[in-house]
Amino acid sequence: MGKQTYKIVKSKVTEGLKDMESRKGRFRAFDAIRPAMLKMVPNYPELSNRLRQIKEYSMDHLDEVIAKAQRSLEEKGCKVYLADTAEDAQNYIASLIPKEGLVVKSKSNAGKEINISHYLEDRGVTVVETDLGDRINQLAKCEASHSLAPAIHLSIEKITQLFSEEEGIQLECTPEALVVSARKGLRDFLVKADVGISGANAIAADTGSIFVTENEGNIRAVSMMPKVHIVIAGVEKIVSTLEDAMQVVRAAAVYGVGQDIGTYVSVISGVSESLDPDLDEDTHGQGPKEVHIVLLKNGRQEAIEAGFQESLYCINCGSCLNFCPVYAEVGSKYGYKYLGGRGLVFAAFHGDLEKTEENGLSLCIGCQKCQTACPVQMATPNMLWKLRQDAVAQKGVGWKKNLIFSMLSKPQTLPVVNKLATTFGKLALKESDKGMTSRLTLNSFGLPQERVIPRFSGKSFTEIAKPKPLAKPVKKVGFYPGCVVNYTETDLGEALLHVLAENNVEVKLANEDVCCGIPSIVSGDLDHAKTMALKNIAAYSSLEMDALVFVCPSCAVAFKEEYPKLFAEDSPELQKKVRNLALKVKDINEFLSQDIRLKPPEHRVAETVTYHDPCHLARSMGVKKEPREIIQKIPGVNYVEMQDADMCCGFGGSFSLSFYELSQRINEGKLKDVADTQATTLATSCPGCMVHFRDGIAQHAMKQKVSHVVQILSRAYGRR
């Protein structure tokens, strides 16, 4: 990402963070949708896997399902137009509408994709949005801020003002009064409209049926009242069967808003054939005489060929946005056409990587909440990492990251830097209660003066570590400390050695290691990542061990998941070595709970403890219950579960350096949840999370101690 692009992104982030009114609206929606969705999803345990299979099949057989859908639709009297580009779709739709005609339009993400409302308005057509949120945005002359709740960024006072001006009288500032006003205002438009435009949630190829689901009833009116109905849908909306389409509709409700089914589900299978003989044929409300289906290709084939087929599984339910920590704080400033990470992929497969970067490619923190909230399990972070690789291939990684990654890949460099930082760091840093703060303002390096960073240790963990010799160990493990433990959190490394010695586990350390490579991987710099990985693979593959344990889940994920990907096309010998090493990877909580019989701790730790789930540990490695079980085995501990324990803390490694204000805002939400538990100790299982929480606690003058689970367990074994 170039300097100018970074300025554009930083400006958008700043603007988003300042818009507190929009943030209030988003969190009002989240407070309603999140618990409803989390309660509803378990009622349909097979829905997500089934839906993914449906979408995979459709995309794997795209030409076939398009042809089948076209035949079925045309047999039902519909007219089908395959649009290769947005311009093709715009021109075709415009040709169906009378000059200075009236169009009523329901919510349509595909319509927004091709900018159809503005296109028609520029040609003298009156377009009236009938979705309540879209209508509000139309009156306010602003863009949607959520796929399902497009006007959540506007206050009820602002909406009252808009409708009062539209109606010419002062309305009561209540939701009920505004709904009545909106319905009254839309009624005349619906009766007089020449054309209705809608989207589609799904199109069944076998029956030629178009499914639309909603909670307001406006889509039903749009599809029934005017004499011409135009449906705009991406080709990815086509599924094989009527039953498959119903699964899409079900998932949109379950994951999108936490309902078992939408309030209204309309199935349109052709033109109206049963006009009431007692009514004039021109009377509105008897169903359309013409139904036109505009199927958008618009870059989708290019997406498939470029390896982004998975992005087309999306059903636009908005669930990813409801759980994305970045979207929660900056709203519509993150994404392009489609909000959030999926919108960035959309921009890229339309050949505009620059647009992708400018709209937030660097903002994805990689927490994977979007993926676990997604009904098709779409791995959006992985697609964004791939786009970052494309950006680095075109423009390089930038001089600062290039310098840092070069240092991280050399075993001799970091110890020297650590000693220099310890010796001369006081010229730029000063002591604080919780760590160190900067004497200078270094915002470009993510170090404003108020930021609290950990103290450098002087000597690295690998220099001071002395694993206890054991005569007859029950297990032998290697330990990869990682950069944070090696140079700032050495006590965590010492605690691990103590805990494992107490459990008669022999620990082996490599003679030298380097960074795990995760910072390079998520930045798109695979060259440096491979250099680091090869050195670590050589160092740890030579150890005789039953497992390779980690106290940092990001490092563990690098060894377990990312190294096999990095060398997937290398020699069979190297691939085998990488796979064998990956199979030995264990988070320390996982190892203590599953691989040995944990020695019962005897010393009391009189603390009220709550626990934060690190993103990589909870979602990539699936380790959630083990750390809680360990904590609750410690005498004297009063364990209190916090709300949303697995929501991201906002650290994200280099993310917190590039976008410190945003990372702190995300952290504030977590700190509120911590405070609500009245815990005296915040436990977690990630050194990076620990660093970030200590900074946040210092900024907000809170009193909680922050410890790794292993450190608390070590205290319970008598270490002080």
Side-chain angles (χ1 to χ4, degrees):
M1 178 171 56
K3 188 175 181 180
Q4 186 58 36
T5 302
Y6 176 71
K7 284 184 178 179
I8 292 171
V9 177
K10 195 73 183 288
S11 175
K12 288 188 174 188
V13 168
T14 301
E15 188 179 347
L17 291 175
K18 286 180 179 178
D19 190 355
M20 296 303 291
E21 195 62 46
S22 296
R23 184 179 187 272
K24 287 179 186 176
R26 287 192 295 276
F27 276 84
R28 278 197 301 270
F30 297 156
D31 288 345
I33 293 172
R34 284 175 181 171
M37 177 267 199
L38 293 172
K39 183 179 179 181
M40 185 61 65
V41 167
N43 295 334
Y44 301 92
E46 298 303 319
L47 179 58
S48 177
N49 289 335
R50 175 69 185 123
L51 185 61
R52 185 173 175 90
Q53 291 169 0
I54 289 168
K55 299 298 283 187
E56 281 179 346
Y57 181 88
S58 297
M59 291 301 99
D60 288 343
H61 302 82
L62 186 57
D63 290 340
E64 176 187 323
V65 295
I66 290 174
K68 187 174 183 180
Q70 185 168 2
R71 285 195 303 271
S72 299
L73 287 162
E74 288 174 347
E75 286 171 2
K76 297 287 177 65
C78 300
K79 297 178 182 178
V80 179
Y81 181 76
L82 276 168
D84 287 324
T85 66
E87 292 75 19
D88 291 343
Q90 290 170 340
N91 291 332
Y92 178 77
I93 292 167
S95 73
L96 302 174
I97 300 169
K99 187 178 181 181
E100 298 183 355
L102 173 61
V103 170
V104 285
K105 177 181 164 292
S106 68
K107 185 184 294 173
S108 168
N109 288 304
K112 290 172 186 171
E113 175 184 328
I114 64 171
N115 208 23
I116 192 61
S117 294
H118 296 310
Y119 179 85
L120 294 175
E121 287 170 342
D122 289 344
R123 280 149 186 78
V125 175
T126 299
V127 179
V128 178
E129 300 286 354
T130 63
D131 175 83
L132 182 56
D134 283 337
R135 180 62 177 159
I136 292 167
N137 287 335
Q138 186 176 39
L139 294 175
K141 295 181 173 58
C142 63
E143 297 300 320
S145 58
H146 190 282
S147 54
L148 292 187
I152 55 173
H153 58 293
L154 296 175
S155 68
I156 190 170
E157 291 79 13
K158 176 63 176 176
I159 297 168
T160 301
Q161 177 191 339
L162 292 170
F163 279 153
S164 296
E165 291 172 357
E166 176 75 2
E167 198 165 332
I169 60 171
Q170 182 58 47
L171 297 172
E172 185 181 351
C173 188
T174 65
E176 294 78 13
L178 297 177
V179 169
V180 169
S181 174
R183 285 177 175 166
K184 185 166 64 175
L186 290 174
R187 193 173 297 128
D188 284 346
F189 291 123
L190 287 164
V191 169
K192 296 175 182 177
D194 299 295
V195 174
I197 294 179
S198 76
N201 292 92
I203 299 173
D206 61 343
T207 62
S209 301
I210 301 144
F211 282 69
V212 286
T213 181
E214 55 177 325
N215 282 337
E216 294 178 15
N218 61 295
I219 302 180
R220 181 166 292 182
V222 164
S223 66
M224 185 179 71
M225 300 289 283
K227 291 301 180 185
V228 177
H229 178 205
I230 302 171
V231 177
I232 311 172
V235 291
E236 73 276 9
K237 295 297 182 182
I238 304 172
V239 294
S240 294
T241 68
L242 190 76
E243 291 76 17
D244 290 346
M246 274 304 303
Q247 294 295 310
V248 175
V249 170
R250 168 83 78 184
V254 169
Y255 283 84
V257 290
Q259 296 176 199
D260 52 4
I261 196 69
T263 306
Y264 299 90
V265 177
S266 298
V267 183
I268 302 159
S269 299
V271 298
S272 176
E273 296 179 350
S274 56
L275 295 177
D276 189 330
D278 295 329
L279 294 173
D280 185 274
E281 68 172 13
D282 292 325
T283 301
H284 286 248
Q286 301 182 82
K289 288 183 175 181
E290 296 179 25
V291 177
H292 297 262
I293 317 298
V294 179
L295 295 174
L296 295 177
K297 290 186 174 179
N298 199 30
R300 284 153 173 84
Q301 188 59 45
E302 290 80 356
I304 293 171
E305 292 169 0
F308 297 108
Q309 174 173 308
E310 192 174 8
S311 70
L312 301 177
Y313 299 169
C314 177
I315 65 169
N316 299 115
C317 67
S319 184
C320 54
L321 300 179
N322 297 333
F323 291 88
C324 173
V326 173
Y327 170 78
E329 300 302 341
V330 302
S332 59
K333 304 303 175 186
Y334 179 41
Y336 177 75
K337 296 282 188 178
Y338 296 87
L339 295 169
R342 196 251 170 163
L344 304 177
V345 179
F346 171 87
F349 68 65
H350 282 79
D352 201 337
L353 190 57
E354 185 72 30
K355 191 74 72 178
T356 297
E357 290 191 280
E358 290 176 358
N359 286 278
L361 179 58
S362 55
L363 291 181
C364 176
I365 199 168
C367 72
Q368 302 173 67
K369 282 294 281 187
C370 59
Q371 186 170 347
T372 56
C374 176
V376 293
Q377 306 155 43
M378 189 166 73
T380 301
N382 288 346
M383 289 188 280
L384 296 180
W385 298 170
K386 187 176 186 303
L387 289 175
R388 290 178 186 177
Q389 293 166 26
D390 294 342
V392 169
Q394 288 185 18
K395 305 175 184 178
V397 74
W399 73 267
K400 280 190 287 190
K401 284 190 174 181
N402 187 59
L403 175 63
I404 292 169
F405 296 158
S406 294
M407 291 167 53
L408 292 175
S409 63
K410 296 170 183 172
Q412 305 83 5
T413 304
L414 277 182
V416 173
V417 171
N418 184 51
K419 286 181 172 62
L420 289 173
T422 304
T423 305
F424 300 106
K426 291 182 180 179
L427 297 175
L429 302 171
K430 58 184 178 181
E431 290 281 344
S432 75
D433 292 341
K434 304 288 185 180
M436 307 284 285
T437 57
S438 177
R439 297 181 187 275
L440 309 171
T441 299
L442 301 170
N443 288 330
S444 63
F445 286 90
L447 290 174
Q449 284 186 294
E450 70 273 13
R451 183 169 193 173
V452 176
I453 61 173
R455 297 177 181 88
F456 291 98
S457 58
K459 288 188 176 182
S460 70
F461 169 75
T462 51
E463 290 178 289
I464 64 174
K466 295 179 180 178
K468 183 178 179 180
L470 298 170
K472 293 182 179 180
V474 294
K475 294 279 184 180
K476 296 179 181 180
V477 301
F479 172 46
Y480 177 83
C483 300
V484 177
V485 170
N486 236 340
Y487 300 106
T488 64
E489 299 289 337
T490 54
D491 180 76
L492 174 52
E494 295 282 2
L496 175 127
L497 295 181
H498 177 236
V499 165
L500 290 177
E502 287 290 315
N503 283 278
N504 199 29
V505 176
E506 181 180 327
V507 180
K508 299 183 177 186
L509 301 173
N511 292 328
E512 61 178 24
D513 54 29
V514 294
C515 173
C516 67
I518 275 286
S520 297
I521 291 167
V522 300
S523 297
D525 181 3
L526 297 193
D527 288 340
H528 277 118
K530 285 185 175 182
T531 300
M532 298 177 207
L534 285 171
K535 290 177 180 177
N536 286 327
I537 291 164
Y540 287 93
S541 293
S542 63
L543 299 180
E544 182 188 345
M545 57 187 176
D546 299 303
L548 178 59
V549 298
F550 294 77
V551 291
C552 175
S554 296
C555 297
V557 166
F559 278 69
K560 188 178 183 70
E561 296 183 4
E562 299 301 331
Y563 287 6
K565 294 178 191 174
L566 285 175
F567 302 105
E569 297 181 5
D570 279 80
S571 69
E573 293 78 15
L574 178 57
Q575 289 185 48
K576 183 179 179 181
K577 183 182 284 190
V578 172
R579 284 197 303 270
N580 288 341
L581 187 61
L583 289 172
K584 293 186 177 182
V585 169
K586 290 274 186 175
D587 169 72
I588 186 60
N589 296 283
E590 189 180 19
F591 177 81
L592 294 174
S593 297
Q594 298 176 8
D595 289 42
I596 62 171
R597 178 175 290 183
L598 187 67
K599 172 186 170 182
E602 297 179 354
H603 295 263
R604 288 180 60 81
V605 177
E607 298 280 354
T608 298
V609 178
T610 192
Y611 180 76
H612 160 73
D613 289 287
C615 298
H616 275 135
L617 187 62
R619 283 178 280 282
S620 291
M621 301 186 72
V623 177
K624 295 188 75 171
K625 64 181 178 64
E626 291 86 351
R628 290 169 169 82
E629 290 173 350
I630 292 171
I631 292 169
Q632 292 178 74
K633 287 178 180 177
I634 297 173
V637 164
N638 172 33
Y639 179 74
V640 182
E641 184 73 16
M642 81 166 83
Q643 183 177 342
D644 296 329
D646 68 345
M647 287 295 282
C648 181
C649 74
F651 180 59
S654 58
F655 173 86
S656 70
L657 298 177
S658 299
F659 303 102
Y660 177 67
E661 296 86 353
L662 176 54
S663 72
Q664 270 297 298
R665 180 70 70 79
I666 295 169
N667 192 240
E668 286 175 7
K670 289 294 302 191
L671 291 175
K672 181 182 181 301
D673 292 334
V674 171
D676 288 345
T677 67
Q678 298 186 325
T680 55
T681 295
L682 169 59
T684 187
S685 297
C686 172
C689 296
M690 291 167 60
V691 169
H692 200 48
F693 275 121
R694 287 191 188 127
D695 176 33
I697 285 169
Q699 303 294 340
H700 292 83
M702 295 169 66
K703 303 296 183 183
Q704 287 82 1
K705 292 179 288 188
V706 181
S707 297
H708 196 287
V709 172
V710 167
Q711 290 174 305
I712 302 173
L713 182 58
S714 179
R715 288 170 58 196
Y717 283 144
R719 180 175 176 267
R720 291 291 181 265

